[in-house]
């Protein structure tokens, strides 16, 4: 049975990307798309556009629904336009959702129990829900109360409101230090630290300064039978090799992999790089 997928990269170029989210087609900025569009005629089909010229501006926003539901990689998500151009989903992470779901299933089969999955800087919950649908015991953490509530609503869309997933609003470092003191452990961790951000109580986070401390704390909450740690980044200069080196130095022996997060379209559409990822596994998987 084919899984419904409401996301598609339609084209990119001239510093923009053209994407379909269900029936809504949007053009938004993308600095990496320095080439010419492959299908310029498609851009006239955009339901609305967003740009950063003279501020942050939507054009045609009134033509869009206030919110709408899409299904991507088997996960239902509520989308809504925000003043910063975000929608409540980062499509470049979809391949990671799929990999995480497979690793969770494999880990459950190997160990005979549901893996414990921790999602840090977790946004609106896509990866959390993919892991939960695959059978993981999940903990979802973000410093934004609004985003955590958004994720909780997405859980309900997927019938996961009673799954036991913990939704927590907190600063990541403060939370991890408490988990270390409590002796609470996790088998899998995903973290997407911001280039610059603030915690629940205004704590300043700069990835260049704080990422090593965060990874050290993650190491302390890993179980004795861990599956993986995935580190992602949208910070300029944080190449795949940078992420791999950080993971190798922090977690030691294991299987290491890294690459670019990509937006995918049809056969004639150029893949669009949109961030980087690094992955450490305790043992080589056959996913």
């Amino acid at each position: 049975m084919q899984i419904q997928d409401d996301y598609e990269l339609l084209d990119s170029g001239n510093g923009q990307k053209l994407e379909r989210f269900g029936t809504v087609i949007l053009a938004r900025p993308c600095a990496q798309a320095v080439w010419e569009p492959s299908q310029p005629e498609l851009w006239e089909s955009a339901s609305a556009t967003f740009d950063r010229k003279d501020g942050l501006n939507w054009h045609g926003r009134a033509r869009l629904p206030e919110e709408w539901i899409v299904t991507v990689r088997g996960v239902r998500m509520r989308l809504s336009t925000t003043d910063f151009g975000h929608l409540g989903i980062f499509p470049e992470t979809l391949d990671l959702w799929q990999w995480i779901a497979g690793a969770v299933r494999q880990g459950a089969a190997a160990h005979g129990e549901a893996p414990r999955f921790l999602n840090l800087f977790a946004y609106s919950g896509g990866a959390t829900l993919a892991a939960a649908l695959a059978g993981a015991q999940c903990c979802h953490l973000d410093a934004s109360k609004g985003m955590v509530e958004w994720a909780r609503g997405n859980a309900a869309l997927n019938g996961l409101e009673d799954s036991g997933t913990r939704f927590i609003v907190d600063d990541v470092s403060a939370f991890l230090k408490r988990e270390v003191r409590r002796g609470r452990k996790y088998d899998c961790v995903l973290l997407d630290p911001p280039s610059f951000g603030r915690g629940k109580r205004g704590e300043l986070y700069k990835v260049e300064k704080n990422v090593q401390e965060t990874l050290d704390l993650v190491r302390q909450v890993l179980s004795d039978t861990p599956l993986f740690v995935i580190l992602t980044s949208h910070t300029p200069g944080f190449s795949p090799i940078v992420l791999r080196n950080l993971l190798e130095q922090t977690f030691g022996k294991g299987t290491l992999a890294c690459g670019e997060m990509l937006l995918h379209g049809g056969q004639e559409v150029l893949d669009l790089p949109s961030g980087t990822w690094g992955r450490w596994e305790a043992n080589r998987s056959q996913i």
Side-chain angles (χ1 to χ4, degrees):
M1 182 178 69
Q2 186 174 9
I3 296 177
Q4 179 185 352
D5 203 322
D6 288 329
Y7 174 77
E8 183 181 8
L9 176 67
L10 299 176
D11 199 10
S12 62
N14 292 338
Q16 289 188 302
K17 55 188 176 181
L18 185 69
E19 302 166 288
R20 179 182 62 81
F21 299 88
T23 60
V24 175
I25 297 176
L26 300 175
R28 297 185 293 162
C30 182
Q32 297 94 322
V34 297
W35 46 83
E36 294 291 324
S38 300
Q39 303 178 78
E41 69 282 357
L42 284 182
W43 293 75
E44 294 298 323
S45 66
S47 311
T49 63
F50 180 83
D51 64 50
R52 300 188 180 99
K53 300 173 184 177
D54 301 319
L56 303 174
N57 303 290
W58 279 100
H59 306 279
R61 192 176 189 179
R63 295 195 295 268
L64 301 179
E66 185 174 340
E67 59 182 55
W68 70 103
I69 308 299
V70 297
T71 301
V72 285
R73 300 297 196 273
V75 179
R76 287 170 59 79
M77 302 282 288
R78 176 179 70 85
L79 304 190
S80 181
T81 57
T82 70
D83 292 340
F84 296 97
H86 296 166
L87 303 173
I89 189 173
F90 288 119
E92 63 268 26
T93 64
L94 296 181
D95 290 345
L96 292 178
W97 296 9
Q98 206 160 7
W99 188 92
I100 287 167
V104 164
R105 293 188 188 100
Q106 181 174 316
H111 298 291
E113 61 181 7
R116 291 157 291 181
F117 175 74
L118 174 61
N119 191 0
L120 302 171
F121 310 99
Y123 196 53
S124 63
T128 301
L129 301 178
L133 287 167
Q137 301 176 39
C138 296
C139 179
H140 175 104
L141 183 134
D142 198 280
S144 166
K145 181 178 180 181
M147 290 314 305
V148 172
E149 288 305 309
W150 197 329
R152 195 188 298 273
N154 285 334
L157 285 176
N158 290 273
L160 293 170
E161 59 267 52
D162 298 320
S163 65
T165 297
R166 299 163 63 209
F167 292 97
I168 298 174
V169 181
D170 205 351
D171 171 73
V172 163
S173 293
F175 169 81
L176 287 172
K177 288 173 183 177
R178 284 200 308 275
E179 296 294 84
V180 170
R181 291 195 297 270
R182 292 166 176 163
R184 187 170 281 151
K185 301 291 185 178
Y186 299 89
D187 304 304
C188 350
V189 181
L190 168 66
L191 62 158
D192 179 33
S195 301
F196 176 90
R198 292 194 178 275
K200 179 184 176 183
R201 299 172 184 84
E203 302 91 339
L204 180 63
Y205 192 99
K206 294 186 69 174
V207 68
E208 296 90 343
K209 179 181 178 181
N210 297 109
V211 67
Q212 187 63 69
E213 177 192 13
T214 303
L215 288 171
D216 288 340
L217 289 168
V218 167
R219 178 178 52 79
Q220 294 178 63
V221 300
L222 276 185
S223 72
D224 294 334
T225 55
L227 297 177
F228 63 81
V229 176
I230 296 175
L231 172 64
T232 63
S233 178
H234 292 86
T235 301
F238 271 52
S239 70
I241 298 300
V242 169
L243 302 189
R244 190 190 70 182
N245 288 350
L246 283 166
L247 292 170
E248 182 175 16
Q249 189 175 69
T250 305
F251 301 102
K253 292 182 179 179
T255 301
L256 291 154
C258 61
E260 292 185 297
M261 292 190 288
L262 299 173
L263 296 175
H264 303 290
Q267 189 172 2
E268 303 300 320
V269 178
L270 298 173
D271 285 343
L272 181 57
S274 301
T276 57
W277 61 268
R279 184 177 70 231
W280 172 89
E281 294 176 77
N283 298 292
R284 181 176 295 276
S285 73
Q286 302 300 318
I287 297 171

